[in-house]
């Protein structure tokens, strides 16, 4: 049986460690499978009992007659259970038991051994520390999550992969209360074998899944998840992620909770965007956004997105519109005098349904929002029914209902119309939709040759770093090496002088840099402080320009190669005014990044200042990003700071490169 | 009968324009009053019928025998109805009818006439465009809001004043679904007479009201609302506001919707803070925050606030903790190895209730958050009951339940424990609690004498503006006036030279400023370009320092006098790096403001830079803010930009003052 079938629709399951005490968590899988009408065979495995909850129990999986597709392991002796699964030829084992990567270094080693053994035995693993798998249309409730105490949760087209087992219950129960159904829900636990990326691939190929939702605390395999996201995109299935670890505090908690790096949030943001994964800000948006994306493609608008709004409540509509504005989204209205169509003002006699259809057909907007006030609770015929009845086309339609109106939410869910409980989730979903990008195609331009005189291991001096930058195609400032005893050089003044050393990153912090040397006597005077012993001096032409930029590259341990551009000086740091993308980027993407740096207002001709050559800066960003294409990716981090941007060009005056094998490791 | 009694607990109400057609909005007040068991007398008034919904109807209010405390006007002829109310001696009339300030300039004039007449008649007005008043414990359902189709909404201690009538239904219905009750709910409509501020005063004096919630689109009377907020503070009742208009789009919509200025959001933020009003970011927080604040005082912590967390779900807790981190709140835990107490890891055998009590007693935290996963829905005995049973003290306790668990939410509500449906509202509420300030006391320091040679009307030149600044106590750069024909002055070089003109705000944009003049010959050369005709020249010593600041004052049309300090140059504008407070401020407050400006990192000794004299800058901010104390408040706007801050002092080098009567009006 295929992995997907064994995982989501097994014909026979073994419950290893099934408890006969109904109140125990370990009794739940058996109770839930029966309660929700599992059609396959169930084999409780319990070494100390012949019978569990009225069903025959087996001492070991190997004692069961017939094939077993999926085992659910709930015992402490996971290793023993795995051996039995291997002997029995079980396709996949989901492991609820913990004490592996979730439990420090020893647990991590135990997990490594477990996975190695599972590979040898040919058993795929979900977990450890997994709450299991739910397949609603398939009536598979192979989980310990208490949510399945509920009767008949509705089935639907959204599937979820979660690093938190609890979240299966959260979305299922909240969805059920308002008619939002699910297809598959998977708790991945520690992802020792089956990870989020592979599950997204399986769901991309699953005919019942129409949208894929991710609840993430970390990203353990960025390459595989990127591949999964591409597969989902190719299959026309949007992927949406809610990811924790956006604050330092959240990062620390995710690390302590998952035993994995949480990852730098800005890097993950760039990663999701470039993988075509929609990232949402609010947890509830993850539940509610599905119908807004389902069956649609990334809008890729070249201008500010516009939403047309019809409402029966001014205040209710304003609560969404205000939030849309905060997220950079505008409104559009066929009524020139008002930004929205408010049926309590202006067009009082218009029918709600006619306005919804008018807006859906209105070419000035990219999406339509229908807001309904108190009537949504007790008088759905007034505004909810007209939304349901509206003739829809390709344009997204969403509803926000201000009162507690679960029945109306369910009606909208059944009709496949995105409906929101809060103005914030509604605006967040629109923002997610409009930010949604097609997975980026990497332009495989050649990175150029690695210069012969620059090592690929050990520490690089600034001179070597500048040589590497020049080889990549980054304009670097005219430089020369001046050596003892006379420190002669042929550069015209004014110049700057720096010590040449591989060990010092922030030379200016240790007094290793002298700027604005105006003449030879000035030079001789000023280099005294930095020319110690007979170390050589790096002499550079003083570059002047309109603005300073920082351009960086980092091979991130979580998401891989990234390129960064930001405002120079202390602005990047104080205001976090930097933009990141997965590397490599082409020049067009680099220019888009530059356009998002606020501090470059000066370069863009702000307040009549002369504009700078952003194209040249863009070329430098693209060039540095090509470090990602060098075989073996020897560079861990690289930074040109500052790059001086002038009216005619951009030039790097300071270069720093850290290799992965830098001699410290 | 008092205004409060007539408004909230009338003995007799007249329903002017009551409809006999049950499906009409105008039939609702009568239906709802009866449905919810109003104990007083109801008099339908309808000129065309003797009977309305089975009750005797009257052609006019004046035809009713006996007193009427409160009339609800639903007819187009509001003026006629008001005359009848006046004749009858009605205390307060709530007006549902619209077509007043909500309907352009003509409507505004109509409203003005209506209010004038009401004053003459001695009738207080709620509205027009009001959805009415609800008093749950008093069984007064005097409203057209459909929400009262519901049976028995629960009563509670929170009262709400809303500029959106719909929001009465929103909070009532959502609250009812989870056992959160209300006391009074008032839809203020256009606030022609009874405004938000006066209603807050009435609720501050209302024995049943324990917290006051505001849904605002604008602030129409900032002085009255500030007084109301102070009264509420004195009565120990927290005031919480959700205000729209945070984006330009929202501002524009609020203006078009309310016919009033929405107000600059940063100014309103400063206003709420200084009035002791807690501002929430999310709509749902307004509903949920009450129990977190009730009976408490502003915490006024001098350090970063800390929340201790206990949870049965790692992912659920992380979703709140991550958000708390984004809002600048930390966690604290008695377990040094983990930032939270996660009962699925570490302390597996601990009892939930014991941990809650331990955290409430733990001196390292300022509040406790109890997170409950899937068990909250079907097994409340596991973690919800222990929260209910925990012995509580003064420390705030809040719960976040991850599943759909309305019964558990209701149990927590009944016990007065703040409980949240979303991680974001939970974190927003904690942020609101920790940001909560005691209403600020204005220090009435003398603003000094208005200088004799500076007019209080017309346009001020920069010389006059500098004179005014100096009189307020702001150090200004040493200056002199140089006049034709020889433009002599006695300042030492280097100097700057500026044209002196009252009409030009941005002199440097028109080439009216020359900086860095090094000598007398340089001066004579350079002033040629600006010395046209025989206009005088302002000569100033060139000031140098460590950083530039902008210090501003504005008499805001919505919230009144404000003082602002921000990073100089283009930083204030590009990064919105400014901090606002209501003016005046004392030096301590000014220093607190300065501490919040990111761009002043340099002044604070960032990266080993020499620290600047922030005290001197603080004195300048406090001095400029004292413009708010000058009789008649003649100044509309004033700005010192830049103020040069050095190691020893701070000096204003550019001054701009706009008077209210500037000759343009």
């Amino acid at each position: 049986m295929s992995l997907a079938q064994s995982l989501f629709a097994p014909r026979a399951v073994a419950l290893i460690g099934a408890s006969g005490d109904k109140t125990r968590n370990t009794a739940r899988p058996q109770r839930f499978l029966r309660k929700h009408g599992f059609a396959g065979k169930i084999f409780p495995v319990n070494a100390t009992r012949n019978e569990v909850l009225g069903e025959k129990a087996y001492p070991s999986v190997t004692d069961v007659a017939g094939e077993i597709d999926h085992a659910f392991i709930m015992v402490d002796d996971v290793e023993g259970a795995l051996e039995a699964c291997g002997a029995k030829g079980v396709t996949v084992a989901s492991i609820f038991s913990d004490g592996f990567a979730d439990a420090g270094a020893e647990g991590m080693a135990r997990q490594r051994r477990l996975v190695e053994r599972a590979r040898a035995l040919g058993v795929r693993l979900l977990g450890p520390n997994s709450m299991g798998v739910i397949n609603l249309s398939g009536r598979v409730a192979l989980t310990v999550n208490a949510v399945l105490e509920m009767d008949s949760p509705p089935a639907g087209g959204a599937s979820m992969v979660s690093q938190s087992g609890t979240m299966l219950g959260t979305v299922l129960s909240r969805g059920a209360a308002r008619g939002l159904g699910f297809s598959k829900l998977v708790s991945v636990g520690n992802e020792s074998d089956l990870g989020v990326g592979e599950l997204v691939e399986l769901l991309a190929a699953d005919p019942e899944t129409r949208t894929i939702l991710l609840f993430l605390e970390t990203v353990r395999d960025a390459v595989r998840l990127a591949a999964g996201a591409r597969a989902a995109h190719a299959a026309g299935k949007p992927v949406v992620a809610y990811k924790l670890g956006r604050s330092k505090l959240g990062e620390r908690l995710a690390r302590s909770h998952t035993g994995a790096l949480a990852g730098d949030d800005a890097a993950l943001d760039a990663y999701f965007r470039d993988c075509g994964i929609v990232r949402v800000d609010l947890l509830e948006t993850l539940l509610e956004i599905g119908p807004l994306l389902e069956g649609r493609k990334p809008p890729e608008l070249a201008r500010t997105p516009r939403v047309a709004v019809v409402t029966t409540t001014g205040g209710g509509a304003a609560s969404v519109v205000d939030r849309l504005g905060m997220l950079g989204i505008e409104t559009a209205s066929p009524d020139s005098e008002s930004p929205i169509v408010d049926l309590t003002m202006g067009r009082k006699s218009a029918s709600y349904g006619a306005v919804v259809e008018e807006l859906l057909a209105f070419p000035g907007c990219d999406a339509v929002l229908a807001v309904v006030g108190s009537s949504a609770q007790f008088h759905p015929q007034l505004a909810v029914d007209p939304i349901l009845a509206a003739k829809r086309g390709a344009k997204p339609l969403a509803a926000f209902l201000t009162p507690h109106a679960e029945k109306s939410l369910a009606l909208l869910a059944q009709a496949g119309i995105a409906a929101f409980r809060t103005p914030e989730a509604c605006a967040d979903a629109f923002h997610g939709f409009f930010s949604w990008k097609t997975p980026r195609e990497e332009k495989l331009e050649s990175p150029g040759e690695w210069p012969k005189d620059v090592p690929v291991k050990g520490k690089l001096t600034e001179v070597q770093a500048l040589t590497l930058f020049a080889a990549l195609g980054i304009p670097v400032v005219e430089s020369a090496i001046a050596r003892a005893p006379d420190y002669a050089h042929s550069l015209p003044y004014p110049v700057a002088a720096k010590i040449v050393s591989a060990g010092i990153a922030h030379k200016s912090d240790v007094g290793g840099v002298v700027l604005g040397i105006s003449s030879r006597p000035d030079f001789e005077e000023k280099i005294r402080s930095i020319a110690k012993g007979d170390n050589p001096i790096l002499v550079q032409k003083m570059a002047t320009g309109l603005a300073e930029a920082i351009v960086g590259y980092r091979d991130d341990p979580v998401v891989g190669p990234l390129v960064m551009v930001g405002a120079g000086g202390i602005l990047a740091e104080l205001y976090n005014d930097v933009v990141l993308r997965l590397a490599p980027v082409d020049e067009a993407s680099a220019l888009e990044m530059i356009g998002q740096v606020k501090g470059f207002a000066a370069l863009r001709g702000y307040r009549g200042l002369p504009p700078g050559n952003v194209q040249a800066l863009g070329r430098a960003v693209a060039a540095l990003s090509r470090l990602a294409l060098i075989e073996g990716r020897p560079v861990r981090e690289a930074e040109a700071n500052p790059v001086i941007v002038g009216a005619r060009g951009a030039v790097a005056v300071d270069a720093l490169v850290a290799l992965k094998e830098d001699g410290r490791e």
Side-chain angles (χ1 to χ4, degrees), chain A:
Chain A
M1 203 177 196
S2 77
L3 171 62
Q5 278 179 296
S6 301
L7 192 66
F8 297 129
R11 291 161 306 184
V13 299
L15 306 174
I16 303 175
S19 171
D21 176 352
K22 280 192 177 189
T23 67
R24 300 281 302 274
N25 287 352
T26 45
R28 286 181 184 162
Q30 188 178 346
R31 288 206 293 113
F32 292 163
L33 284 167
R34 288 292 173 220
K35 175 181 169 79
H36 295 283
F38 178 58
K41 291 175 189 155
I42 302 173
F43 300 102
V45 174
N46 188 316
T48 62
R49 308 175 62 129
N50 295 325
E51 166 271 320
V52 170
L53 302 179
E55 305 195 37
K56 176 173 164 55
Y58 299 80
S60 165
V61 173
T62 51
D63 297 316
V64 174
E67 278 179 47
I68 289 176
D69 302 317
H70 195 149
F72 197 60
I73 300 176
M74 299 175 280
V75 291
D76 287 342
D77 180 17
V78 175
E79 289 81 357
L82 175 64
E83 290 300 329
C85 288
K88 184 68 189 167
V90 170
T91 311
V92 61
S94 295
I95 305 169
F96 172 54
S97 320
D98 55 8
F100 293 86
D102 51 283
E106 253 179 71
M108 186 73 88
R110 183 184 175 200
Q111 180 167 308
R112 227 174 275 131
R113 291 192 301 273
L114 187 79
V115 172
E116 209 172 294
R117 188 62 193 141
R119 291 226 168 102
L121 292 168
V123 181
R124 298 300 307 270
L125 301 181
L126 182 71
N129 204 11
S130 159
M131 281 210 177
V133 176
I134 302 170
N135 170 1
L136 287 165
S137 62
R139 300 184 168 276
V140 180
L142 191 55
T143 183
V144 294
N145 191 302
V147 69
L148 288 174
E149 303 281 4
M150 94 167 76
D151 300 326
S152 323
S159 288
M160 186 190 202
V161 181
S162 178
Q163 287 175 341
S164 159
T166 297
M167 286 301 143
L168 268 51
T170 303
V171 300
L172 251 188
S173 64
R174 292 182 180 216
R178 42 186 286 189
L180 271 173
F182 288 87
S183 180
K184 321 291 186 291
L185 298 104
V186 186
S187 161
V188 294
N190 296 356
E191 296 181 83
S192 70
D193 174 18
L194 277 165
V196 174
E198 187 169 358
L199 283 158
V200 171
E201 283 171 13
L202 293 176
L203 292 170
D206 174 44
E208 290 174 335
T209 295
R210 294 193 299 271
T211 54
I212 301 169
L213 311 179
L214 309 177
F215 180 96
L216 303 177
E217 303 188 15
T218 182
V219 172
R220 289 194 181 90
D221 187 346
V223 172
R224 191 74 188 257
L225 177 55
R230 274 164 207 280
H233 176 78
K237 300 179 184 184
V239 183
V240 186
Y242 171 90
K243 172 160 185 320
L244 294 173
R246 286 164 298 185
S247 65
K248 291 282 163 222
L249 188 58
E251 249 180 78
R252 190 181 149 219
L253 187 60
R255 211 165 44 237
S256 81
H257 184 241
T258 66
L261 279 171
D264 174 73
D265 194 65
L268 279 156
D269 219 52
Y271 168 79
F272 289 133
R273 180 187 182 284
D274 287 349
C275 289
I277 296 173
V278 174
R279 187 177 189 179
V280 295
D281 181 41
L282 308 178
L283 182 55
E284 200 157 41
T285 315
L286 188 64
L287 177 68
E288 296 182 323
I289 196 176
L292 194 67
L293 306 179
E294 199 181 306
R296 299 203 164 81
K297 285 184 162 48
E300 312 271 10
L301 297 175
R303 49 155 182 76
T304 305
R306 295 178 200 138
V307 177
V309 183
V310 56
T311 187
T312 65
T313 156
S319 66
V320 185
V321 167
D322 193 28
R323 205 84 188 171
L324 287 173
M326 290 164 82
L327 297 170
I329 298 168
E330 291 178 356
T331 54
S333 167
D335 300 352
S336 57
E337 72 278 10
S338 169
I340 66 170
V341 182
D342 184 341
L343 298 179
T344 68
M345 302 183 67
R347 290 214 225 167
K348 281 196 190 182
S349 58
S351 108
Y352 196 95
V355 175
V356 172
E357 291 195 355
E358 178 189 346
L359 297 182
L360 284 168
F362 172 51
C365 73
D366 309 304
V368 175
L369 169 65
V371 180
V372 186
S374 301
S375 74
Q377 190 175 16
F378 296 107
H379 306 292
Q381 72 282 3
L382 295 180
V384 175
D385 289 349
I387 298 174
L388 296 169
K391 200 179 148 189
R392 282 179 281 156
K395 198 176 282 184
L397 170 64
F400 166 53
L401 312 184
T402 69
H404 182 74
E406 292 187 335
K407 278 184 201 156
S408 291
L409 288 172
L411 291 172
L412 290 160
Q414 278 156 33
I417 297 170
F420 298 89
R421 268 190 78 262
T422 65
E424 296 86 9
C426 182
D428 186 28
F430 273 117
H431 180 253
F433 172 69
F434 288 120
S435 306
W436 186 19
K437 303 284 176 197
T438 301
R440 195 154 61 80
E441 290 296 325
E442 297 187 17
K443 292 273 166 62
L444 296 171
E445 269 183 70
S446 161
E449 287 289 303
W450 187 272
K452 288 203 184 75
D453 46 345
V454 176
V456 293
K457 290 183 186 184
K459 293 182 194 298
L460 296 194
T461 64
E462 183 168 2
V463 176
Q464 290 166 329
L466 286 167
T467 305
L468 175 60
F469 282 12
L472 290 166
I474 302 166
V476 300
V477 72
E478 208 177 321
S479 306
I481 299 290
R483 292 179 198 282
D486 62 342
Y487 293 100
H489 69 86
S490 58
L491 291 180
Y493 291 92
V495 298
K498 301 173 178 177
I499 47 174
V500 178
S501 164
I504 305 169
H506 294 283
K507 295 181 194 71
S508 50
D509 290 357
V510 296
V513 180
V514 184
L515 298 176
I517 300 170
S518 60
S519 62
R520 180 74 202 182
D522 195 20
F523 178 77
E524 285 173 7
E525 167 72 25
K526 284 182 176 158
I527 65 166
R528 273 188 214 164
S529 61
I530 60 173
K532 280 159 195 155
D534 57 356
N535 64 339
I537 298 274
L538 173 63
V539 187
Q540 298 183 318
K541 226 176 111 176
M542 282 298 292
T544 55
L546 301 161
E548 293 191 359
I550 173 171
V551 180
Y553 168 88
R554 185 172 94 233
D555 201 337
D556 187 86
V558 174
V559 305
L562 289 162
V563 64
M564 178 264 269
V565 63
I570 60 174
L571 298 184
E573 199 168 328
L574 282 186
Y575 299 108
N576 196 23
D577 191 13
V578 300
V579 174
L580 287 172
R581 289 279 183 282
L582 295 188
V585 295
D586 58 19
E587 286 177 32
S589 296
L591 286 173
E592 202 185 294
M593 291 170 70
I594 291 165
Q596 289 169 20
V597 177
K598 287 183 192 167
F600 288 156
L603 292 181
R604 293 187 285 264
Y606 178 81
R607 280 200 171 180
L609 293 170
N613 192 329
V614 288
Q615 283 73 23
L617 180 59
R619 282 192 296 274
V621 172
L624 191 68
S625 81
R626 288 195 287 268
L627 283 172
L629 300 173
I630 290 172
E631 210 188 315
R633 297 208 314 247
V635 175
R636 192 181 63 223
E637 239 175 297
E639 193 177 278
N641 181 17
V643 173
I644 308 276
V645 186
R648 284 179 306 175
V651 62
V653 302
D654 203 280
L656 185 70
V657 172
L659 298 175
K660 285 181 183 166
E661 297 186 41
D662 70 352
R664 288 184 307 193
E665 290 159 345

